[in-house]
Amino acid sequence: MKAGKFFAKAYLWLLLILMYSPIAIIAIFSFTEAKVLGNWTGFSLKLYENLFSGSISNSLFKAVENTLSIGVLSAFFSTLLGSIAAVGIYNLKGRKKQAITFLNNIPMLNPDIITGISLFLLFVAVGVTQGYLTVLLAHVSFCTPYVVLSVMPKLRQMEANTYEAALDLGATPGQALRKVILPQIRPGVVSGFILAFTLSIDDFAVTLFTKGNQGLETLSTFIYADARKGGLTPELRPLMTVVFLVVLLLLLLINYRSSKNTNKK
Amino acid sequence: MAGENNIIKLENISKRYDGKTVLDNINLYIREGEFVTLLGPSGCGKTTTLRLIAGFIQPDEGRILLDGNDIAGVPPYKRPLNTVFQRYALFPHLDVYDNIAFGLKLRKTPTNEIDRRVRKALKMVAMSDYEDRDVDSLSGGQQQRVAIARALVNEPRVLLLDEPLAALDRKMREDMQLELKEMHQKLGITFIYVTHDQEEALTLSDTIVVMREGKIQQIGTPRDIYNEPVNSFVADFIGESNILDGTFIKDGLVSFIGKEFECVDTGFGENAPVDVVVRPEDVYIRRSQSGTQFSGTVKSCIFKGVHNEILVDTDEGFEMTIQDYNPFEVGEKVYMLIKPEDIQVMKKERTANILTGTVKDAGTIQLLGADFPVSCDFAAGTPVRVEVPFSSVDLMDNLDEGVISGEVHFILYKGNHYHLTVRTDDGDFLYVDTNDIWDKGDLVGIRFSDQDEIRISELQNEN
């Protein structure tokens, strides 16, 4: 019994170590100046300093800025589109509802690389100059289905006659949506926004194919280009550590929110 | 019903979903201040009628008038009506107070007025201490009280209630029924109430509208509906009853269960087939013969609290349900009496299945979308009217043995046999008398027996 418990615990720790050691290594080696990853030349905050003021910082921060602004904008638009679509799908009946839900699920299962290439071909075919706008459009298109997926359960939890009850009490359809439907699905909308934001920040394949050749870089394409040029720039190590911490913070926030919601029920 | 003070009129209302008729030419007048109940089994169209009045759906045909004005184009949020839904439909993101104030706030009512009216509404439903509570933390009964307050606070002309008590337990339901009735009397506004519970309808209503399959069967006071049902469906649906085949010999005299009885009904003709309804509490049961009309043997006796429910096999071979305060022994010889005013005679809706078909050859007639082997003398291609007695329709367990198949749709026990309504696969209805026991929903094969009893005549072209 005791041995069994020990092995169960050891197994868990082994898994956690496997999962987190690569990140830990990056984080640890962000506090040393060595050019080559794996050499420890003593504790130093030099790389962090370079990150914020060195020669690399300009182009790097431009990439971070692009990543964040595309993330926020695509999350905003896909949340808007996705939430409205979810309300629409929810009000469909029978076959139609099944069909649309199925169509909504396909893009999520589609490999990124195929989504990226298809979008690239589409933009070329339509003749749009590729750059910031095409990346944004691409991100909105692959984030929207996730927002629908996130809002849908909240709509289903709603009492069936809720919308009619609002109309009955004198609300116009618009007021019913704003004052009754939206407050009830808000947790789903917020989760959808956060999900869309992280998906956008995380994306590499789709961005690579839609960013064009006007010099637009997001964090992921910047790092990829940098690594191809001749090894990873040491300053990327503190950058990744910071990104990891930000994502961790976001994740904690989401978990905190959802646990608060379940406690309320 | 048509008076000057009708607040709502439904004129020739029909509604179809996917080609299925849910409401079939409904005409209904509702007087100002009345408590009207739409009563019927599920699928009878009662909730659809309510939703039409509320404005959530539009009729395919007909007009809905409010104070004499057609409200077809008026959206639900502009109708001076409020609804209490079966599953309450409260807004969980608002507390009790804000739920009730929702309608008033939309109308830009001054804050102090909102406050006054919300408190008054809370007081009326005895929920004054709950205004800050989360609606999810309330019990079902409390939630329904909030839903009623939320509707009434807007001072609607008409309150629509869609089975509001169906989700509550029996005791709570009975309390709420009394409270609703009190509220109705105090407020004087019109209530339109939907339920499938006949007891609830009898308790609450000024007027009951009995519906079945999209048609109104009967409109009347609870007393009328109970004492004088217009047909066997209403009699069977409202309360317990003995529904029996009878013959109306002449005015004031009717024969059923093999005996002749004096009755108070007139005008059904002479020797005409009728349905007879006798309520179980209207059959007097005695241990001595003097003054009684017929006799029988006790088959079972079940104690029901206030009364005993006794099944008696009469000597003529009919089964009757009787209620009496005294218990009887199984096997005991008993004597019964029915008073003339307790016998309700109803015109039979039909006495046989009347079908139309075409002669195919000497031994076959095309009927109900299939070829039935029925012998006749008419030439092939002649359109014919075929009259098939209820007892000539045979139902079979094995679907393949029937010419067509169908489903048992409705069952009525007539004392010594069952009268079934069978819905064929094509949606036609056949009526069958049988001694076999079937359940509602059973799938059956259908064929005709007793060729001699089937009457065929040439169909006259009515153009």
Side-chain angles (χ1 to χ4, degrees):
Chain A
M1 188 64 205
K2 248 185 180 164
K5 217 171 181 180
F6 171 78
F7 280 117
K9 271 198 168 169
Y11 176 71
L12 183 70
W13 280 108
L14 189 72
L15 265 184
L16 286 173
I17 287 166
L18 277 173
M19 282 162 68
Y20 283 94
S21 54
I23 298 162
I25 284 169
I26 290 272
I28 290 164
F29 283 96
S30 71
F31 293 105
T32 187
E33 279 178 46
K35 287 261 181 279
V36 181
L37 189 63
N39 287 352
W40 184 263
T41 55
F43 180 82
S44 154
L45 290 173
K46 186 85 174 84
L47 289 180
Y48 281 87
E49 221 181 296
N50 287 349
L51 180 65
F52 291 100
S53 58
S55 58
I56 193 178
S57 68
N58 255 342
S59 47
L60 184 61
F61 272 90
K62 189 67 200 153
V64 171
E65 200 187 301
N66 284 336
T67 306
L68 290 179
S69 74
I70 289 171
V72 169
L73 285 176
S74 59
F76 174 79
F77 287 116
S78 51
T79 304
L80 195 70
L81 281 176
S83 302
I84 294 170
V87 172
I89 295 170
Y90 172 72
N91 284 307
L92 286 176
K93 301 256 178 297
R95 279 266 155 101
K96 251 191 208 161
K97 186 175 193 161
Q98 273 181 3
I100 302 280
T101 309
F102 181 68
L103 283 177
N104 182 63
N105 288 341
I106 292 176
M108 291 187 281
L109 301 172
N110 203 22
D112 279 358
I113 186 78
I114 293 175
T115 310
I117 293 173
S118 333
L119 282 164
F120 169 74
L121 291 175
L122 175 75
F123 291 136
V124 169
V126 182
V128 192
T129 326
Q130 294 189 39
Y132 190 88
L133 190 68
T134 50
V135 173
L136 184 59
L137 284 173
H139 282 211
V140 170
S141 90
F142 75 74
C143 288
T144 303
Y146 289 93
V147 177
V148 173
L149 203 68
S150 158
V151 173
M152 217 50 182
K154 289 288 158 199
L155 282 165
R156 272 197 224 101
Q157 277 170 22
M158 237 168 46
E159 204 58 70
N161 291 321
T162 303
Y163 174 68
E164 287 176 352
L167 294 189
D168 188 74
L169 292 166
T172 61
Q175 285 173 325
L177 189 68
R178 279 201 316 280
K179 290 176 192 272
V180 175
I181 309 283
L182 196 59
Q184 291 194 47
I185 62 172
R186 186 167 287 145
V189 174
V190 172
S191 314
F193 182 90
I194 296 172
L195 191 64
F197 180 66
T198 47
L199 282 169
S200 166
I201 289 183
D202 195 39
D203 179 70
F204 169 69
V206 176
T207 311
L208 190 70
F209 280 99
T210 52
K211 75 187 177 68
N213 48 14
Q214 311 288 313
L216 179 86
E217 298 286 2
T218 65
L219 198 56
S220 55
T221 59
F222 178 85
I223 293 169
Y224 174 71
D226 178 74
R228 283 220 310 187
K229 259 190 281 177
L232 212 54
T233 311
E235 280 75 12
L236 288 177
R237 303 204 295 260
L239 177 72
M240 285 175 199
T241 312
V242 170
V243 169
F244 172 73
L245 284 175
V246 169
V247 170
L248 188 69
L249 216 67
L250 264 178
L251 205 68
L252 287 175
L253 193 75
I254 295 175
N255 282 347
Y256 173 70
R257 278 185 58 90
S258 62
S259 74
K260 209 173 73 175
N261 279 334
T262 40
N263 283 346
K264 242 183 104 178
K265 282 284 146 199
Chain B
M1 289 274 322
E4 282 308 302
N5 56 351
N6 286 327
I7 182 165
I8 285 180
K9 282 192 199 179
L10 304 187
E11 291 181 344
N12 309 106
I13 293 288
S14 292
K15 179 74 188 169
R16 280 175 291 273
Y17 283 118
D18 305 327
K20 192 172 174 282
T21 304
V22 186
L23 289 178
D24 188 3
N25 199 21
I26 296 283
N27 282 286
L28 181 63
Y29 304 97
I30 292 165
R31 281 187 295 258
E32 177 109 55
E34 207 177 1
F35 196 128
V36 179
T37 299
L38 307 179
L39 174 67
S42 60
C44 73
K46 56 192 191 297
T47 297
T48 307
T49 308
L50 198 76
R51 289 167 57 78
L52 280 166
I53 297 172
F56 301 138
I57 47 175
Q58 297 294 323
D60 293 326
E61 278 156 42
R63 300 198 302 164
I64 301 172
L65 306 178
L66 178 75
D67 296 326
N69 303 314
D70 193 342
I71 52 170
V74 182
Y77 50 91
K78 285 189 182 153
R79 296 188 184 192
L81 320 166
N82 284 112
T83 309
V84 177
F85 295 92
Q86 184 176 353
R87 303 289 329 191
Y88 326 133
L90 295 175
F91 306 139
H93 63 290
L94 301 174
D95 65 13
V96 169
Y97 184 98
D98 285 331
N99 261 282
I100 298 173
F102 187 84
L104 296 174
K105 281 182 179 166
L106 284 170
R107 271 181 214 93
K108 307 262 183 290
T109 314
T111 318
N112 55 351
E113 163 113 21
I114 293 181
D115 212 46
R116 189 179 61 75
R117 279 165 70 175
V118 170
R119 278 174 217 288
K120 199 175 131 202
L122 277 167
K123 201 170 160 203
M124 187 162 49
V125 295
M127 292 283 291
S128 287
D129 299 334
Y130 293 86
E131 58 180 70
D132 297 328
R133 287 279 289 273
D134 227 349
V135 292
D136 283 335
S137 69
L138 302 177
S139 70
Q142 290 170 330
Q143 289 194 31
Q144 194 54 288
R145 283 164 193 271
V146 175
I148 292 167
R150 184 179 68 171
L152 284 175
V153 78
N154 302 298
E155 295 172 358
R157 299 281 312 280
V158 181
L159 185 69
L160 308 171
L161 302 108
D162 185 6
E163 308 218 15
L165 310 183
L168 305 181
D169 63 60
R170 190 189 172 89
K171 184 80 183 70
M172 178 102 72
R173 203 160 60 222
E174 283 169 358
D175 290 347
M176 284 297 287
Q177 282 172 10
L178 293 177
E179 284 185 47
L180 276 174
K181 185 133 180 125
E182 237 171 71
M183 270 181 231
H184 174 251
Q185 277 157 1
K186 217 158 80 185
L187 296 168
I189 62 173
T190 313
F191 278 38
I192 305 178
Y193 194 98
V194 161
T195 185
H196 64 268
D197 182 338
Q198 43 100 8
E199 256 184 70
E200 199 163 281
L202 293 172
T203 308
L204 290 170
S205 322
D206 297 324
T207 303
I208 295 176
V209 180
V210 185
M211 297 179 70
R212 179 197 188 189
E213 283 164 15
K215 289 195 181 111
I216 292 177
Q217 303 289 309
Q218 187 171 5
I219 302 175
T221 64
R223 219 169 275 279
D224 284 346
I225 300 261
Y226 187 85
N227 289 332
E228 281 161 37
V230 292
N231 59 34
S232 53
F233 170 79
V234 176
D236 181 59
F237 194 73
I238 311 274
E240 298 262 320
S241 48
N242 296 291
I243 301 171
L244 305 152
D245 287 333
T247 307
F248 198 76
I249 298 168
K250 58 178 190 189
D251 285 356
L253 192 64
V254 62
S255 111
F256 58 95
I257 60 168
K259 294 274 176 181
E260 287 183 7
F261 295 84
E262 278 181 47
C263 66
V264 294
D265 296 271
T266 56
F268 288 91
E270 287 192 6
N271 293 319
V274 288
D275 277 327
V276 175
V277 171
V278 182
R279 297 291 182 186
E281 67 272 22
D282 291 336
V283 183
Y284 297 89
I285 179 167
R286 304 268 184 272
R287 288 198 168 86
S288 66
Q289 192 172 5
S290 73
T292 60
Q293 294 159 313
F294 58 102
S295 57
T297 313
V298 174
K299 192 180 179 186
S300 75
C301 178
I302 298 163
F303 180 58
K304 291 271 187 176
V306 177
H307 62 263
N308 293 278
E309 191 169 285
I310 306 142
L311 282 182
V312 171
D313 281 330
T314 72
D315 293 345
E316 287 76 21
F318 291 88
E319 188 182 281
M320 290 200 85
T321 307
I322 301 169
Q323 289 173 2
D324 198 273
Y325 295 121
N326 304 306
F328 287 80
E329 295 293 325
V330 173
E332 198 174 348
K333 183 81 183 168
V334 286
Y335 303 90
M336 273 74 61
L337 166 72
I338 304 171
K339 292 181 178 169
E341 64 269 24
D342 292 333
I343 294 168
Q344 165 70 7
V345 179
M346 305 175 303
K347 194 171 173 289
K348 264 199 184 299
E349 284 171 272
R350 61 189 71 74
T351 50
N353 293 293
I354 311 290
L355 309 165
T356 52
T358 315
V359 177
K360 204 170 179 195
D361 54 50
T364 320
I365 297 179
Q366 218 168 13
L367 275 177
L368 302 165
D371 293 338
F372 279 86
V374 181
S375 54
C376 69
D377 307 331
F378 296 103
T382 315
V384 285
R385 176 181 184 276
V386 183
E387 197 178 317
V388 185
F390 300 142
S391 54
S392 295
V393 182
D394 277 356
L395 301 182
M396 246 87 44
D397 266 324
N398 188 347
L399 300 188
D400 296 336
E401 284 178 40
V403 178
I404 54 172
S405 55
E407 183 191 352
V408 177
H409 189 67
F410 183 66
I411 303 171
L412 207 58
Y413 185 56
K414 290 255 180 140
N416 66 342
H417 67 271
Y418 293 94
H419 185 67
L420 308 184
T421 307
V422 177
R423 190 191 165 94
T424 68
D425 291 342
D426 288 347
D428 297 310
F429 289 102
L430 278 176
Y431 304 89
V432 186
D433 280 347
T434 176
N435 289 316
D436 300 333
I437 295 170
W438 296 95
D439 285 322
K440 196 178 165 178
D442 281 350
L443 296 177
V444 290
I446 302 164
R447 71 177 183 203
F448 298 151
S449 61
D450 278 332
Q451 298 279 328
D452 303 344
E453 300 289 324
I454 298 176
R455 290 220 297 272
I456 303 160
S457 55
E458 190 171 353
L459 197 65
Q460 301 303 320
N461 206 334
E462 278 165 20
N463 296 336

